[in-house]
Amino acid sequence: MIPELLRPRSHLLVRQTTGAGKTFAVLCTLLSLAIQEHRLLTTKLKHTSAEAFDVQALNTLVVVPNRELALQMGQWASELLEHAYPQMSRGKLVQWFVSGSEYEIAQRKYLKRHGAPAIVLGTPRALLELTSGRSSVMAATAPKMLQQLDRSQDSEAYVRQLIRVHKESKQRDEVTADGLRGLRRLVIDEVDQVLRVPGRNASDKERKLRLDKPRPGQVLVDRLLLETCGLARLNAEVQQARLLAWQTRAERDGEGLRRSTARGWSKDRDPALGAPPAAPKAQPKVEDPAVQQLQRAADLVGRQTLQVTALSATANSGARHWMQKHGWMSSRPRIIDSADEPTVPASVTHHCLVVEDHDTVRNFQARDDRAPDPSTEETEGGVWDTDVAQRSAEAQLSAMDLMADVAANTLAALRPTGSVVIFTRSDASTTQFARVLEEHGVMARDIMVHFDETLRQRVDQAVVEQVGSVTEPYRVYLATEESARGIDVTDAGLVLILDIPKNAASYAHMAGRTGRFGRAGTVVSVVPVGRRGWYESKMRGIFSLLQIKPLPAPFVE
C-alpha cells in the first residue's frame, strides 16, 4: 500500500483486515511526504521555511468518521514528529479538528497562531465549519492551471477546455512551487462509514432522502475536492439530472415513493390482494450525458491533479461505484483487496451468548434443531428487543440491568488482561449504562477517555475521590459502533458486544477492536433470542458471512 501512496496522481481503494495498521501506515506516509516537499521547497527552490509552509498549506485532507479516531491520529502524529523531527513545527505540518465546544475553542486558537497546516484531518462536520460559510478560516485553493478556466461556457466546451488545460500541464515536467500548491491529496478513512451509501435493498424513500440531504462527508468533499479540481460544476449538473429523473419516475408511477416497510411488504406482493402484475420488460440502462461527462473529466483530472485514497476493512463495490459516479475517483483505481484474508483477525476467539429471559443465558447454537414452541412464537424477546425511544423509563432500566448483569458475570469469569471494550446500542446512553454497571461492581469509562488526556485526568481524579485509587486489574471502556470505528486500543484483550449487530460489517468492526496486529483477543456477543429465535438466526448469518465459528463459552452451562 505504501508504494502506491508514494505515487502522485494515483487513485487507491484499500480493503484489508481490521487491525492491519492501514491508518497508521497512511499517516506515516503523509507526514513523510510533507517533510520531503518542505525540504524540496527550502533547498532546491530556495524558499524560506515560512514561504514553504505557505505553499504547502492545506494540500492534504484526511476525513475520518468520528472524533475518537481524529484525536488518536493526532496523538500519533505528535509523537512521531516529536521523536523523528523535533525541529519541525507540528502546527505547520498537521492539525486536527473535531466537534465539541471543549475542543473547538482550543483548535481555532491553535489554527490562528500557526495558520493552515500542510495536513488537515478531522471529522466531516468540524471540517465543514472551518472551510465553508462566512466563518471560514481555511480555504482550499485550486491548482494554478485550473484558475484560467472559463466557467461560463456550456458543459461540452467546459470539458474540452478542462482537458486542454490538463494536457498542457502534463507536458511540463519541472517541479515548481505552483505545482505543489493547493489541495493535492484526499484520504477518506473508513469510507463506508463516512458515506453510508444506501444499499441495494434501500427503499425509494431512503434514496430520495439521500439526494435531498447528503451526508456531511459528501458535502465536504464535494466542496473541497470538486471545486479545486474544476469538477464542481459538472457534479452539480449530475445532481440536477438525478433529481429530474426522480421526479419523472414519480409522476410516471403515480405514487412517487414505493410503499414498503422494514419487513419488505408492498401491496403488489401481498397475496391477500391478488396476484402481482406482470413485471415490465427490462430496458437497457442508458447513462445520462451529464454523468458521462463527469466520469470522463474525473478520469483525466483525478490522474493529473489529485491523489484520492479510500480505506476500510469492509468497503464494497457500492462505495466505489458511488465515488466514481460523483467524480471522486477515476473509473480505473488501483485496488488493494485482501479478499483471501478474513475480515476479522484469525487470532481472535469468538463466543456468543443468547439471553432467553432474565434468568436464562445459554450458548449460541450453530444449528437450530429444536422443535418450534407455539407458546413462544409471539414473544418479542423482552424489553431489550425494542428501540430505546419506545421503552418506558422502567423498561430501559430493566434492559440495562440485564445487560450489566451479563457483562459483570462475563468479566468475572474471563478475568481479562489489558483493556475491555463494551459496545452498547447506539441509541442508548453510555453515561446511564456506566452508572448501572457501577452498581454491579464494574467501573466503566467512555471510550473518549482513552484519547483525551485532560478528560482522563478528570475521570481518574473522580475515581480517586470515590474509591481511593485508580488501580484496577483492567480498564473498561464503553463505546458504540460509530464512536469506536477505526480506533486502536492497543491492549484490548476482550470485546463485549451488548448490541445486535446491524450486519456482518458492523460485527467485524466491533470485533476488530481486539486482536490488533496479530495479538490474541476474545469477543463475546450477547443477544436476545428474539421472536421465534430471529436474532439468533441473524447471528448465524453474520458468522457464516465472516467465516467465523464461535466456540461455546466455558463459563456458561
Side-chain angles (χ1 to χ4, degrees):
M1 179 179 68
I2 292 179
E4 294 292 335
L5 290 171
L6 294 174
R7 291 176 52 206
R9 305 171 180 174
S10 64
H11 283 187
L12 181 63
L13 180 64
V14 180
R15 185 173 71 174
Q16 290 182 323
T17 305
T18 58
K22 300 182 294 296
T23 302
F24 187 75
V26 168
L27 181 63
C28 290
T29 306
L30 294 178
L31 289 173
S32 299
L33 287 171
I35 293 170
Q36 179 184 4
E37 290 174 357
H38 186 79
R39 289 175 174 172
L40 176 65
L41 287 164
T42 55
T43 56
K44 184 177 180 179
L45 300 180
K46 307 302 182 183
H47 284 63
T48 65
S49 182
E51 290 171 342
F53 281 127
D54 181 64
V55 170
Q56 291 181 275
L58 192 52
N59 65 16
T60 301
L61 180 69
V62 182
V63 184
V64 298
N66 53 59
R67 64 180 182 175
E68 289 82 1
L69 183 54
L71 292 175
Q72 181 171 66
M73 293 181 70
Q75 287 181 357
W76 287 344
S78 294
E79 293 172 3
L80 286 169
L81 292 173
E82 181 181 352
H83 287 86
Y85 301 97
Q87 74 283 3
M88 299 289 288
S89 171
R90 195 271 289 174
K92 292 289 188 180
L93 280 174
V94 59
Q95 295 179 36
W96 49 94
F97 303 90
V98 298
S99 298
S101 57
E102 66 274 26
Y103 301 104
E104 292 172 0
I105 296 175
Q107 289 166 179
R108 288 181 178 267
K109 286 182 178 179
Y110 198 81
L111 177 62
K112 186 177 181 180
R113 185 188 319 138
H114 294 279
I119 303 172
V120 176
L121 64 89
T123 57
R125 291 188 185 277
L127 294 175
L128 267 177
E129 293 178 2
L130 288 170
T131 57
S132 61
R134 295 181 179 179
S135 61
S136 173
V137 293
M138 284 194 302
T141 57
K144 190 173 182 179
M145 66 177 184
L146 296 182
Q147 295 176 7
Q148 57 182 298
L149 290 173
D150 181 5
R151 301 173 187 267
S152 63
Q153 301 179 84
D154 60 66
S155 298
E156 288 286 352
Y158 181 79
V159 171
R160 287 197 299 270
Q161 186 186 26
L162 190 64
I163 293 174
R164 178 180 56 80
V165 168
H166 279 283
K167 285 182 177 179
E168 293 174 355
S169 174
K170 187 177 180 180
Q171 296 171 357
R172 308 189 192 103
D173 294 330
E174 70 276 9
V175 177
T176 65
D178 286 335
L180 297 176
R181 192 184 300 272
L183 183 64
R184 294 167 38 245
R185 300 184 192 93
L186 170 70
V187 177
I188 310 174
D189 199 5
E190 303 296 342
V191 61
D192 50 342
Q193 179 73 7
V194 171
L195 292 180
R196 289 192 184 179
V197 178
R200 66 179 66 181
N201 297 321
S203 66
D204 288 346
K205 183 177 180 180
E206 291 173 329
R207 297 179 189 276
K208 178 62 165 57
L209 182 63
R210 182 56 183 270
L211 282 174
D212 291 337
K213 296 181 179 180
R215 289 188 59 78
Q218 177 184 343
V219 176
L220 171 71
V221 177
D222 281 347
R223 287 183 181 177
L224 294 184
L225 167 64
L226 299 179
E227 186 63 37
T228 56
C229 288
L231 298 182
R233 172 185 166 178
L234 298 176
N235 185 62
E237 293 177 0
V238 168
Q239 298 307 312
Q240 187 64 30
R242 285 178 176 147
L243 286 172
L244 181 61
W246 174 271
Q247 294 169 359
T248 303
R249 187 168 72 251
E251 293 174 358
R252 182 189 65 215
D253 294 344
E255 289 186 13
L257 302 180
R258 174 167 56 92
R259 296 179 182 178
S260 63
T261 67
R263 296 177 183 270
W265 177 89
S266 70
K267 68 175 186 177
D268 291 336
R269 292 199 298 268
D270 194 329
L273 300 179
K281 186 177 180 180
Q283 298 295 327
K285 185 176 181 180
V286 179
E287 198 68 83
D288 188 275
V291 177
Q292 293 178 342
Q293 283 187 344
L294 178 62
Q295 291 177 341
R296 178 187 173 198
D299 279 349
L300 179 72
V301 173
R303 291 198 299 269
Q304 296 302 322
T305 64
L306 207 64
Q307 182 188 58
V308 180
T309 303
L311 308 97
S312 177
T314 53
N316 54 25
S317 59
R320 172 166 58 88
H321 293 322
W322 190 96
M323 289 190 289
Q324 290 170 338
K325 286 193 173 184
H326 282 72
W328 293 18
M329 186 168 281
S330 68
S331 61
R332 294 178 297 277
R334 175 77 170 91
I335 300 176
I336 299 178
D337 188 355
S338 57
D340 296 335
E341 301 177 8
T343 305
V344 180
S347 58
V348 175
T349 302
H350 301 262
H351 304 292
C352 184
L353 307 182
V354 179
V355 179
E356 294 194 339
D357 53 50
H358 279 265
D359 300 318
T360 307
V361 178
R362 60 173 172 82
N363 276 303
F364 165 84
Q365 295 179 340
R367 293 179 56 186
D368 189 4
D369 297 326
R370 297 174 301 168
D373 184 356
S375 65
T376 62
E377 285 188 352
E378 299 303 322
T379 301
E380 292 292 339
V383 292
W384 193 353
D385 195 13
T386 59
D387 292 336
V388 171
Q390 300 175 359
R391 299 177 190 161
S392 64
E394 182 180 355
Q396 172 69 352
L397 284 175
S398 176
M400 285 191 171
D401 185 71
L402 175 58
M403 289 189 287
D405 184 52
V406 174
N409 288 329
T410 302
L411 292 174
L414 290 179
R415 298 184 179 277
T417 57
S419 299
V420 177
V421 181
I422 299 180
F423 285 94
T424 64
R425 292 181 62 130
S426 300
D427 53 2
S429 168
T430 54
T431 303
Q432 185 181 12
F433 187 53
R435 290 196 293 266
V436 177
L437 274 173
E438 187 176 345
E439 296 174 359
H440 288 262
V442 178
M443 297 294 295
R445 304 164 174 83
D446 190 276
I447 191 70
M448 194 68 182
V449 173
H450 185 71
F451 308 103
D452 189 324
E453 182 65 31
T454 304
L455 180 59
R456 186 187 310 137
Q457 292 174 356
R458 292 205 306 265
V459 171
D460 286 347
Q461 181 61 34
V463 173
V464 169
E465 294 175 357
Q466 183 175 358
V467 299
S469 172
V470 294
T471 303
E472 302 168 270
Y474 46 79
R475 282 183 175 245
V476 180
Y477 297 107
L478 293 178
T480 64
E481 180 198 353
E482 289 76 14
S483 66
R485 188 70 175 259
I487 64 171
D488 177 42
V489 181
T490 307
D491 64 338
L494 173 65
V495 166
L496 259 175
I497 303 178
L498 304 178
D499 186 12
I500 303 161
K502 301 180 183 69
N503 46 45
S506 174
Y507 180 89
H509 282 284
M510 289 189 286
R513 297 317 97 200
T514 188
R516 314 284 289 178
F517 301 103
R519 296 184 179 91
T522 302
V523 179
V524 179
S525 305
V526 185
V527 298
V529 65
R531 183 168 61 181
R532 300 184 183 181
W534 189 86
Y535 288 118
E536 188 173 14
S537 176
K538 182 177 181 178
M539 293 304 297
R540 291 190 188 99
I542 288 174
F543 290 138
S544 175
L545 284 172
L546 296 176
Q547 299 180 357
I548 292 173
K549 294 182 178 180
L551 302 177
F555 53 89
V556 175
E557 295 181 359

